[in-house]
Amino acid sequence: MNVYPIELIAQYAPLMFVAGLTEGNQAPQSPSSSSPTNSNKTHSPIESPQLMSEGSSLSGKSDDPFESLIARLRAILVRRRKDTVWDTERDGSFQAILVKKNILIPPPKVQPTFLRRYGTPLVPNYGDTHSPLSPLTPSSPLYPDGLISPVWIRKHVELIPSVFMLFLRLSEMPTMALSLEGRQEAEQEARKRDAELVMEILQRKKSTSERGIKLIIVLLTSRRMLEDLSLDARLSFIRRQSSLDARQSLFVLTPVSDSELLDFVKNLQSVVYGAAKNYYAAHSARVQRKRRIQPRANANEDLREIGWIMRYEYKLALFAEFRMEVELARKHYEDCWLALEEMFGSTAILPPRTKRWVEAKLTADCVAFKLCKLYLYTDECSMAMSVFNRHIHKISALARGWGIGDETFEFWGWRARQYQLLAELLELALQAGFKIPPTRTPTAAALGAASNTVGCVDETKGRLGFSTGLNPANVLQHPGYYYYAAAKCTLQRYERFLTILKQETARPGPISHSPVMTNEKRLKHRAMAIELYVKAYELFDKFRIGLGQTSTPRSGSLKNWPACIEENNERASLPDDLVTILKKSPLPSPESSPLTVDLPESSPLFNCNAVFWRSDVSIGEPAPFQVFIASPSDLSLSSLPITSLRIYFGEAHSHIIVSHTAKAQSSDDVKRVNVGHALLDEGMELNAEATLRWKMGQTQVFAGTVSSMVPKILKVSKVVFALKEGDWTIEIPIAVHPGPDSTFKPRLALAPPRWLSSLSGQPAKFISIYRTNSYITNVHSKLHGDLHQEQLSSASMQEQHTIQTTTTNNDEQEPKPIRNAPLQPSDDESKSSFKSRYQSRIFYFILSPAYQDISQRFDIAN
């Protein structure tokens, strides 16, 4: 988490200043008894809160009960760390900071003259000048197009509190017996000191009331004073003269036990928590109001309207998080993420590799992190993982356009940080008592129903439409799983770095001396990967018993991580690891249906393509087709136990089944398999055999013909691979030609449509298909009828020429034929208008069914 500013990922809580616990425990002195030096020191200006260490207020031990009381108060009030990421006491807790009594709170901005009316402000808290952190202020670090600065967040978590708690010592009368004159002098001295308290409270109240900060006064006194008859009168005098609220503003505390003191602090915080929420609610109202009234004309052209929307949504989310309104904070964070997504889509708004682009990218990562955490707070684990996967997929897709795709070390470094950040968040949550829900194996029917709704985007609502479907990617795992993913990405990062370093060594370029490359050279990639592998292995070992039948993916690699790092070849062993897991893992129940693994957002195992030789055929006429299935060029899938594959032609009942046969595997790069002819009628299927094993980069072409007895559009919709190992049966559907809105991204770039013509000799010969939509063919009806035409063999110039055409319809349908009569142009150039007008004529007519003849007479003169 050290990569990101703590202000952007920490859990916010209402800020409370606690004063009066850092200057000692002595009773207040009268002004005449104070030295000038101490007086000057006390009222010296301070620009920021002075954070006090636990041992800075009291030195040494003392029998004074107030020293012990102050020390225990400090320990209780400041027990929450300001860099807390996962907060176990989210509702009712404060972020307390110990400050001096004379701390200066930044004043609010001055009201502009055009917003005043007879001295009464029309718009509260709206200054005539912009904030020093506004993108509209030339001296601001965000000028002219910045988004959100950690300094602005630090202002609300360190500099401006919602509650100011001031501890003061109430003077006491002498315990010895006094004469009447002595008692009067003591009462006069008490009133004098009470007046000094009033002046100190009024001075502090002036600064807090300007910003709407709740002021709480706690008077420390002894138990003996509780029995003093003058106590109520003194408290009423202090409250009345200080203009404090009648309730919930003035409290009295005496030295008590630890349990009683803890109860007092809890009750005190619960009393003022509502005022703190109102304070941040007023901030939200101010942001909403400013969003409506701030003229867009004042905004410069660098920060577009979508940039201002993003800023307002982030501020609203932050203030909602201060109030711990989880659902409202999630809503504003989601809107903020969507605004950032829109900004990333335009290079005019956020040019890649600029300062603002880096800022926006970092903010998007932290917003996604916040969303995941807020969903985990309410135990919505699938939603948290849906947000995380959505962010990973979207930024990965955008990275290609930014020039930092998966072929660069920057891409894999960013991806490793995301997985590591999620793993560290889960570790903190587990330490605080969070429970990862158990993983249950879904039924095949549930998987089929959820396959089309996982990770979708609801464009009609303009929001993230996350689904709680049974996508395995949305199942929350233990932190070791994500540490392992971060280690894998780190190895990919190292591999890309070595490739680029080798290229730059052979031919130096601009990147050789860039800051990114210089920083990358300093990193110890192997040590980073080893550290992540160690954490992953320890957590896998810790959660092995608790997860029951859930096997650790890549357990062999985790035990041998040093060799994995040296050889860097884990990808090649993925199929073998899958087979090992299936052999060792029992079925959840003996009657389990085949497990369907449908991941539309992930890269498929194979690339599938299909092509028809002809664009249309008649009913019953065979339509030649070829289905190309290619394996990745960097991964051998020959060890996968594929028992069969099914080629679907649109409907679920129209398919060809190709079963595996144990024959010698061909070493050719392209292999042809003839599957025969299939009649695609309801309930009919074709069975064929082939060696369903692919070596690295091999392509198998399944060729055959299909026909249909009804008019339709034939299209190869998908190919379903069936794997069987032990008691497990797994089906993996792969789309052949997804729609334009699909999230399917092929592992390899699909080749242009082509037809395998010959395998004689190497390489194989292909014929390019330039037809649009070559993966479909149209089955149409053949017209049953007759056409007879009579005309003269020749005619003279300017003579009317008669053509008699007789068309007979013997079909039961009503076709709409078209008669096209082209005319040759005239040789006389002076009659060009005649030529262009009568170059061709098209006649439309309708033939009724049931054996009716229609004769057409065309009189044509030229």
Side-chain angles (χ1 to χ4, degrees):
M1 294 185 181
N2 297 331
V3 180
Y4 296 94
I6 189 62
E7 294 85 1
L8 296 179
I9 61 176
Q11 176 60 51
Y12 307 130
L15 180 61
M16 178 173 63
F17 278 0
V18 179
L21 300 182
T22 60
E23 287 82 2
N25 64 325
Q26 297 179 359
Q29 301 291 331
S30 62
S32 60
S33 62
S34 301
S35 62
T37 305
N38 292 337
S39 178
N40 294 336
K41 182 177 180 180
T42 302
H43 297 282
S44 60
I46 300 176
E47 297 180 357
S48 62
Q50 304 299 311
L51 304 181
M52 300 295 171
S53 61
E54 292 185 2
S56 62
S57 64
L58 300 173
S59 59
K61 298 182 180 180
S62 175
D63 295 334
D64 190 344
F66 288 99
E67 289 189 0
S68 174
L69 176 63
I70 291 175
R72 288 181 291 153
L73 278 172
R74 294 175 57 177
I76 294 174
L77 290 171
V78 298
R79 60 181 178 177
R80 187 185 188 277
R81 295 170 55 90
K82 68 175 182 178
D83 56 351
T84 301
V85 176
W86 182 277
D87 194 359
T88 55
E89 301 177 0
R90 293 181 289 274
D91 195 5
S93 62
F94 280 86
Q95 177 66 52
I97 298 180
L98 298 178
V99 298
K100 292 185 177 180
K101 292 181 181 179
N102 59 352
I103 180 70
L104 292 182
I105 299 175
K109 291 181 293 185
V110 182
Q111 288 287 329
T113 56
F114 69 90
L115 290 180
R116 295 174 181 266
R117 178 182 296 174
Y118 306 109
T120 302
L122 298 180
V123 184
N125 296 335
Y126 189 90
D128 55 348
T129 59
H130 298 288
S131 167
L133 299 177
S134 172
L136 301 177
T137 303
S139 60
S140 170
L142 300 180
Y143 181 82
D145 55 353
L147 299 176
I148 291 294
S149 172
V151 179
W152 179 84
I153 302 175
R154 195 177 304 125
K155 179 180 71 172
H156 290 281
V157 298
E158 292 183 4
L159 300 180
I160 304 178
S162 61
V163 175
F164 196 105
M165 186 177 295
L166 179 59
F167 286 86
L168 298 173
R169 181 75 176 272
L170 184 65
S171 61
E172 302 181 19
M173 301 289 289
T175 57
M176 68 181 79
L178 298 176
S179 61
L180 180 60
E181 182 179 355
R183 185 172 182 83
Q184 291 177 351
E185 291 180 358
E187 291 177 355
Q188 184 178 3
E189 182 67 20
R191 286 194 297 270
K192 182 179 180 181
R193 293 187 178 181
D194 290 347
E196 293 175 0
L197 286 180
V198 169
M199 294 301 298
E200 189 172 359
I201 293 173
L202 288 175
Q203 185 179 4
R204 176 50 60 193
K205 184 176 177 60
K206 179 181 179 182
S207 62
T208 56
S209 60
E210 289 178 347
R211 282 192 168 272
I213 300 172
K214 178 69 174 179
L215 178 61
I216 301 297
I217 305 298
V218 181
L219 299 179
L220 303 180
T221 187
S222 63
R223 287 183 177 270
R224 183 182 61 85
M225 280 296 298
L226 298 180
E227 301 175 358
D228 195 327
L229 299 178
S230 63
L231 179 62
D232 291 340
R234 294 178 63 183
L235 293 179
S236 299
F237 171 79
I238 294 174
R239 179 185 294 113
R240 185 173 58 257
Q241 295 298 321
S242 303
S243 301
L244 295 176
D245 297 338
R247 299 178 59 186
Q248 302 179 358
S249 292
L250 183 61
F251 299 87
V252 178
L253 177 63
T254 62
V256 293
S257 63
D258 292 342
S259 59
E260 291 175 326
L261 183 61
L262 183 60
D263 292 339
F264 173 82
V265 173
K266 288 183 177 180
N267 293 334
L268 185 60
Q269 290 184 345
S270 63
V271 166
V272 300
Y273 190 74
K277 294 182 66 174
N278 294 336
Y279 172 82
Y280 292 110
H283 269 296
S284 296
R286 177 183 59 83
V287 173
Q288 292 279 19
R289 183 170 58 250
K290 190 175 180 181
R291 181 177 183 175
R292 293 192 300 268
I293 70 174
Q294 179 172 350
R296 290 292 183 264
N298 288 348
N300 50 18
E301 296 181 358
D302 298 286
L303 186 60
R304 312 294 179 88
E305 182 176 353
I306 188 64
W308 287 104
I309 292 176
M310 177 267 159
R311 282 173 52 84
Y312 291 133
E313 293 296 340
Y314 189 93
K315 291 182 178 182
L316 291 172
L318 180 138
F319 292 131
E321 192 174 350
F322 271 118
R323 304 191 303 271
M324 209 52 212
E325 297 179 4
V326 176
E327 294 185 2
L328 184 60
R330 286 198 306 237
K331 171 188 176 298
H332 290 301
Y333 275 130
E334 288 175 1
D335 289 339
C336 177
W337 193 93
L338 287 172
L340 286 169
E341 179 189 16
E342 183 176 345
M343 296 174 67
F344 282 134
S346 173
T347 56
I349 300 178
L350 285 177
R353 296 183 180 274
T354 59
K355 178 182 178 181
R356 299 311 178 195
W357 173 81
V358 174
E359 177 189 346
K361 190 165 173 285
L362 182 142
T363 305
D365 293 343
C366 295
V367 169
F369 175 83
K370 286 276 191 177
L371 280 170
C372 291
K373 181 172 62 175
L374 292 176
Y375 276 117
L376 292 178
Y377 277 161
T378 55
D379 295 328
E380 298 179 70
C381 301
S382 60
M383 296 295 291
M385 290 308 303
S386 182
V387 171
F388 178 79
N389 292 327
R390 168 79 178 183
H391 179 67
I392 290 289
H393 295 153
K394 186 61 182 180
I395 300 299
S396 299
L398 290 170
R400 301 184 186 97
W402 296 335
I404 52 173
D406 55 3
E407 71 281 357
T408 64
F409 57 81
E410 297 173 85
F411 172 84
W412 292 106
W414 168 82
R415 194 152 184 160
R417 287 193 297 271
Q418 303 310 302
Y419 284 112
Q420 184 175 357
L421 190 65
L422 178 61
E424 292 174 351
L425 173 64
L426 290 176
E427 273 197 296
L428 293 175
L430 291 172
Q431 293 172 5
F434 177 76
K435 301 295 183 182
I436 296 180
T439 304
R440 297 180 177 87
T441 304
T443 62
L447 283 171
S451 61
N452 296 325
T453 60
V454 174
C456 60
V457 180
D458 190 351
E459 300 291 348
T460 60
K461 299 180 180 179
R463 304 188 55 79
L464 296 177
F466 298 113
S467 169
T468 57
L470 298 175
N471 187 347
N474 291 343
V475 176
L476 184 66
Q477 306 289 342
H478 61 80
Y481 181 87
Y482 304 106
Y483 276 125
Y484 172 77
K488 293 285 293 178
C489 293
T490 302
L491 290 183
Q492 292 287 342
R493 176 183 186 178
Y494 184 48
E495 181 181 353
R496 303 304 191 277
F497 167 70
L498 293 179
T499 302
I500 296 177
L501 183 63
K502 183 178 180 181
Q503 296 174 356
E504 292 298 318
T505 303
R507 180 178 295 181
I511 196 176
S512 300
H513 304 288
S514 64
V516 176
M517 192 67 177
T518 303
N519 180 70
E520 197 71 16
K521 292 178 181 179
R522 299 194 187 103
L523 298 179
K524 298 180 179 179
H525 299 83
R526 294 188 177 184
M528 294 165 56
I530 289 175
E531 182 181 358
L532 293 170
Y533 270 126
V534 169
K535 291 182 178 179
Y537 179 72
E538 291 174 351
L539 289 167
F540 270 113
D541 187 63
K542 175 182 178 181
F543 285 88
R544 188 185 305 277
I545 299 178
L547 291 178
Q549 298 180 352
T550 303
S551 301
T552 59
R554 311 279 296 116
S555 59
S557 295
L558 290 174
K559 294 179 180 179
N560 303 310
W561 50 263
C564 290
I565 294 178
E566 293 295 335
E567 299 175 6
N568 196 14
N569 62 350
E570 298 100 334
R571 179 175 169 80
S573 62
L574 284 174
D576 296 332
D577 290 343
L578 175 61
V579 174
T580 303
I581 292 174
L582 294 178
K583 288 181 179 179
K584 296 183 179 181
S585 301
L587 281 175
S589 61
E591 301 178 356
S592 297
S593 303
L595 177 62
T596 302
V597 181
D598 190 0
L599 302 177
E601 298 178 357
S602 304
S603 299
L605 289 176
F606 297 91
N607 280 346
C608 299
N609 197 0
V611 61
F612 283 89
W613 178 249
R614 297 175 57 183
S615 61
D616 57 346
V617 294
S618 301
I619 290 179
E621 182 180 1
F625 72 91
Q626 290 182 352
V627 177
F628 294 74
I629 302 179
S631 64
S633 59
D634 58 345
L635 180 64
S636 176
L637 302 177
S638 59
S639 60
L640 286 181
I642 301 176
T643 57
S644 65
L645 64 85
R646 300 192 298 274
I647 304 174
Y648 283 85
F649 292 85
E651 299 88 359
H653 53 265
S654 302
H655 58 269
I656 298 175
I657 301 178
V658 181
S659 303
H660 173 67
T661 178
K663 294 182 180 180
Q665 185 176 1
S666 174
S667 61
D668 297 335
D669 292 337
V670 180
K671 177 184 175 182
R672 179 188 175 98
V673 178
N674 292 318
V675 297
H677 176 76
L679 179 61
L680 300 181
D681 283 343
E682 184 174 0
M684 301 185 66
E685 60 184 32
L686 175 65
N687 294 307
E689 292 184 350
T691 302
L692 302 180
R693 298 292 182 268
W694 279 262
K695 69 173 188 176
M696 190 179 302
Q698 188 181 38
T699 301
Q700 292 198 37
V701 182
F702 296 86
T705 58
V706 292
S707 61
S708 176
M709 301 307 297
V710 295
K712 65 171 59 176
I713 295 178
L714 296 180
K715 177 179 71 171
V716 181
S717 58
K718 64 179 178 180
V719 176
V720 179
F721 294 83
L723 284 70
K724 184 172 180 59
E725 181 63 44
D727 297 332
W728 287 90
T729 301
I730 301 176
E731 293 185 351
I732 305 176
I734 298 178
V736 177
H737 285 283
D741 298 331
S742 175
T743 58
F744 166 79
K745 296 293 185 296
R747 186 185 302 276
L748 303 173
L750 296 177
R754 55 183 184 170
W755 183 271
L756 177 63
S757 61
S758 175
L759 283 175
S760 59
Q762 290 295 331
K765 297 178 181 179
F766 296 90
I767 299 176
S768 299
I769 304 297
Y770 298 102
R771 184 177 73 251
T772 305
N773 296 334
S774 59
Y775 58 92
I776 64 174
T777 186
N778 185 20
V779 180
H780 57 77
S781 302
K782 182 185 295 185
L783 180 63
H784 298 280
D786 188 20
L787 176 65
H788 179 70
Q789 179 174 292
E790 296 180 356
Q791 65 179 9
L792 299 176
S793 59
S794 61
S796 301
M797 295 290 294
Q798 303 297 329
E799 180 182 358
Q800 181 172 307
H801 184 63
T802 301
I803 301 176
Q804 185 74 25
T805 302
T806 302
T807 306
T808 304
N809 180 19
N810 297 327
D811 204 289
E812 296 181 356
Q813 299 183 5
E814 184 178 278
K816 297 181 179 180
I818 299 175
R819 175 65 174 175
N820 190 356
L823 300 179
Q824 297 296 328
S826 173
D827 294 334
D828 190 352
E829 296 297 337
S830 63
K831 298 182 178 180
S832 59
S833 60
F834 173 83
K835 175 182 63 177
S836 61
R837 179 179 179 184
Y838 295 98
Q839 184 170 351
S840 64
R841 292 183 179 177
I842 301 177
F843 302 91
Y844 300 89
F845 52 96
I846 298 178
L847 297 182
S848 302
Y851 303 97
Q852 294 188 9
D853 296 346
I854 295 181
S855 298
Q856 292 282 341
R857 178 185 177 91
F858 305 98
D859 295 330
I860 302 175
N862 193 354

